[in-house]
């Protein structure tokens, strides 16, 4: 019977050849670095979700106005634009987001639309005010109903003159 000669490359007795690439990563190093990159991306996502991002904008509003800006005459909105028993989003004279609420016909109060939890913009959601970032819910007086917000929404001074909602005291 002919003898089969074993190849030196397949022999278990042959010494392991040195890897030709001196700067290559082994499997363990690749997996460690991939894990670090994954944790970094995850951490950045968590921080982005929990930060106010400078603008405090946690999303655009739903169901209660489009965030009107002050008119040339300084009016924040017209009383007729605010539903009785409801609210709209607006921009205060200082450029910050506010909510204009009309609890009864002709009476308008304003609340800061900056959530007291993480600074996201609170939006009108039917007969409630909600923070789209972490789920805080406020009633139309600005009082916390649920969620992580530690404080109610602070009031903003406004007054009504000739059917217009104006910033500050009358």
């Amino acid at each position: 019977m002919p003898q089969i000669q074993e190849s030196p490359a397949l022999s278990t007795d042959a010494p392991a050849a040195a890897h030709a690439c001196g700067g290559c990563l082994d499997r363990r190093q690749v997996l460690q670095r991939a894990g670090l990159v994954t944790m970094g991306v995850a951490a950045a996502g968590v921080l982005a979700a929990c930060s106010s991002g400078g603008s405090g904008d946690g999303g655009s509003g739903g169901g209660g106005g489009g965030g009107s800006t002050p008119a040339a005459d300084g009016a924040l909105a017209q009383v007729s634009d605010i539903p009785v028993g409801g609210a709209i989003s607006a921009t205060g004279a200082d450029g910050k987001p506010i909510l204009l609420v009309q609890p009864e016909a002709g009476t308008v109060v304003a609340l800061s639309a900056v959530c007291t939890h993480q600074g996201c913009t609170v939006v009108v959601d039917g007969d409630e005010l909600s923070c789209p970032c972490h789920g805080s819910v406020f009633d139309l007086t600005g009082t916390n109903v649920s969620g992580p917000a530690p404080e109610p929404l602070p009031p903003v001074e406004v007054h009504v003159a000739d059917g217009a909602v104006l910033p500050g005291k009358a």
Side-chain angles (χ1 to χ4, degrees):
M1 200 154 153
Q3 271 196 320
I4 300 176
Q5 200 170 25
E6 193 173 304
S7 166
L10 298 176
S11 172
T12 56
D13 297 335
H19 196 282
C21 178
C24 293
L25 301 174
D26 65 17
R27 184 180 310 154
R28 177 176 284 163
Q29 290 170 323
V30 169
L31 291 174
Q32 285 174 337
R33 291 183 185 185
L36 288 173
V37 169
T38 302
M39 289 188 331
V41 169
V46 168
L47 290 175
C50 290
S51 72
S52 65
S55 72
D57 188 14
S60 58
S68 62
T69 57
D73 63 356
L76 303 174
Q78 296 297 311
V79 174
S80 59
D81 295 336
I82 308 167
V84 176
I88 63 168
S89 298
T91 302
D94 60 0
K96 294 182 180 174
I98 62 172
L99 299 162
L100 298 174
V101 182
Q102 187 171 196
E104 57 187 46
T107 303
V108 177
V109 295
L111 302 167
S112 170
V114 178
C115 183
T116 57
H117 176 235
Q118 291 286 331
C120 294
T121 302
V122 174
V123 296
V124 179
D125 187 13
D127 62 350
E128 295 180 321
L129 310 172
S130 62
C131 178
C133 294
H134 301 106
S136 291
V137 177
F138 305 87
D139 65 17
L140 292 178
T141 67
T143 302
N144 316 41
V145 175
S146 65
E151 304 286 330
L153 297 173
V156 175
E157 288 187 0
V158 294
H159 66 281
V160 175
D162 298 323
V165 181
L166 301 167
K169 288 187 176 184

